[in-house]
Amino acid sequence: SHYFSKFTKTKFKLPQPTNQGTKQPSNMTTTNGIPSNILVSEHPILSHKISILRSSSTIPSAFRSVLGELTFHLGYEATSSLTTRPKPLTVPVGHDHVEWTGATLSEKVALVPILRSGLGMVDSMLSLVPKALVHHIGMYRREMMPVQYYNRLPRKCEADVAYILDPIIATSNTVMSVIGILKKVCCLN
């Protein structure tokens, strides 16, 4: 099984799994002990690609390529809760053009890669959300605790949704620290 978190909207919540039609509180764990705000993928292609990433024999160029592919697939799922609004379009039909109503994303999206490992995920996410803002934050660990060394977050929150990009989630201390920083910057509850 492979875990990834999705932080959406201004409260960084996931859709909660249901238990006999009732939503569980976000701090509840499911019957298998996994927190309800963690999505578990057991897709065979993702399992295969994660095995490539974990292998000590994977060369750097293959690692970067596979990380990009994984990011695209996980990003596709992570962005599934974004909403759209109508957008008028003119589309070709034969030799004519007709008015059509398409869709455009409602939310302004920000990508926040944790330096440096998260940089390898940015291009794939930008292929999904090309107009996303990209803000960088640098973290390292000292005695298992995250320490911020670089911060290029905006002084004023410009996005409705932020996706934290980090392929390495061990203790989750770093990503939780970044969530706290984003909540302060965006004045979130």
Side-chain angles (χ1 to χ4, degrees), residues 103-162:
T104 189
L105 290 178
S106 298
E107 296 93 350
K108 288 179 86 173
V109 176
L111 305 177
V112 184
I114 298 176
L115 299 179
R116 291 179 326 210
S117 59
L119 290 176
M121 303 174 80
V122 173
D123 287 343
S124 293
M125 285 298 291
L126 283 173
S127 68
L128 289 167
V129 191
K131 292 183 180 179
L133 304 167
V134 180
H135 305 297
H136 300 87
I137 191 159
M139 306 289 280
Y140 69 90
R141 287 190 307 178
R142 181 186 306 146
E143 298 175 11
M144 297 304 291
M145 294 306 299
V147 177
Q148 178 181 276
Y149 70 88
Y150 185 83
N151 184 331
R152 284 293 181 240
L153 296 174
R155 292 176 190 241
K156 180 182 173 200
C157 189
E158 303 168 352
D160 303 310
V161 180

Side-chain angles (χ1 to χ4, degrees), residues 16-17 19 22-38:
Q16 302 298 314
N19 184 11
T22 309
K23 287 192 172 195
Q24 298 176 345
S26 61
N27 60 354
M28 296 288 292
T29 56
T30 59
T31 55
N32 58 5
I34 298 170
S36 58
N37 65 341
I38 302 294

Side-chain angles (χ1 to χ4, degrees), residues 5-14 75 78-79 81-82 107-113 125 129 132-137 153-154 157-166 175 178-186 188:
S5 292
K6 175 172 71 171
F7 306 99
T8 61
K9 302 275 179 183
T10 55
K11 296 191 183 199
F12 302 98
K13 287 187 179 179
L14 287 175
T79 57
S81 64
L82 294 177
E107 296 93 350
K108 288 179 86 173
V109 176
L111 305 177
V112 184
M125 285 298 291
V129 191
L133 304 167
V134 180
H135 305 297
H136 300 87
I137 191 159
L153 296 174
C157 189
E158 303 168 352
D160 303 310
V161 180
Y163 293 96
I164 298 170
L165 306 179
D166 187 7
V175 76
V178 172
I179 290 170
I181 292 166
L182 284 174
K183 285 183 174 185
K184 286 179 186 174
V185 167
C186 293
L188 305 175

Side-chain angles (χ1 to χ4, degrees), residues 2 41 43-51 69-70 73-74:
H2 310 290
S41 174
H43 195 286
I45 297 296
L46 295 181
S47 295
H48 167 73
K49 291 189 181 295
I50 285 183
S51 294
E69 293 170 18
L70 276 168
H73 294 292
L74 295 176

